[in-house]
Amino acid sequence: MTDAPTAALPGLRTVSVTRADDRYVVTLDRPAARNAIDAAMIAELHTVCSMIESDPAPVLLTGAGEHFAGGADIGELRERGRDQALAGINRTLFDRFAALPLPTVAAVSGYALGGGAELSYACDIRIATETAVFGNPEPGLGILAAAGATYRLPDLVGRSVAKQVLLAGRTLDAAAALRCGLVMDVVPDGEHVAAAHRAIDRITASSALALRLTKSIVDGTGRAEDIAQAVLFETADKRDRMTAFLEKRNRR
């Protein structure tokens, strides 16, 4: 782990991000609102994703203060209508975060509820403090967990536990989350970020290309034709054939 960040993305109000030599640290930064995910945060996280996509590295995601993210901004959700739902505002961002090229680790303390839980589900690995609570109370508000929980949570904890959370309003405390495999480790309060850094230390000791391909294949996004094409792109035969084609065309 690098001792100090080498770069930061300025001008953000709801999120902070620093880039060290071998990782990003992204912090949801609305502690007074339990880091509730509002439209401004969604927009800023898209900006962060653009930065990471252009210069990939593992990501540590956490929340400022006591909580990871207490949910989406209910005031904003109340005013959204059909068109906003069809646009998949939160889902599109969380899917993009899940598709980042290299591993992502969520360091979770306190509440990870609603949209906050769904953002943590979009990460590859979760590490929790003893205070962590995961849950999706959306049906109690007349909506459903539509930003990834319905398809990510069953993969993470199994269909039965996912239905308990999504249909029966069950919350998973740190111990339950560990038992069902939702989190990799549970650590004392305040030690989750350090534990996540240790996990990323182990990640960065591996080949970045191997990690990238492994994540792609495990997530079902690694298409065989992409890998085959990558092999062919590096061959002398490809270069010779394309050079001959271009030379022939230029002689016309």
Side-chain angles (χ1 to χ4, degrees), residues 136-192:
N136 289 97
E138 287 89 343
L141 296 169
I143 59 175
L144 60 86
T150 56
Y151 49 92
R152 288 199 179 93
L153 193 58
D155 282 345
L156 293 170
V157 301
R159 186 174 298 272
S160 176
V161 174
K163 285 185 174 182
Q164 293 169 37
V165 173
L166 297 172
L167 302 180
R170 179 185 177 187
T171 57
L172 301 175
D173 62 16
L178 183 63
R179 284 196 304 272
C180 68
L182 181 61
V183 302
M184 182 173 78
D185 284 317
V186 175
V187 298
D189 192 25
E191 297 183 15
H192 53 307

Side-chain angles (χ1 to χ4, degrees), residues 73-144:
D73 188 296
I74 302 302
E76 287 188 353
L77 285 180
R78 185 184 61 182
E79 302 308 316
R80 289 183 185 175
R82 177 187 59 192
D83 291 344
Q84 288 79 20
L86 292 174
I89 295 170
N90 290 17
R91 179 192 56 77
T92 300
L93 181 276
F94 298 170
D95 285 353
R96 186 178 185 183
F97 203 91
L100 290 174
L102 287 167
T104 55
V105 180
V108 178
S109 65
Y111 291 144
L113 301 176
E118 291 180 294
L119 180 54
S120 78
Y121 304 157
C123 292
D124 297 305
I125 296 167
R126 285 149 297 281
I127 293 173
T129 68
E130 296 164 342
T131 67
V133 178
F134 299 85
N136 289 97
E138 287 89 343
L141 296 169
I143 59 175
L144 60 86

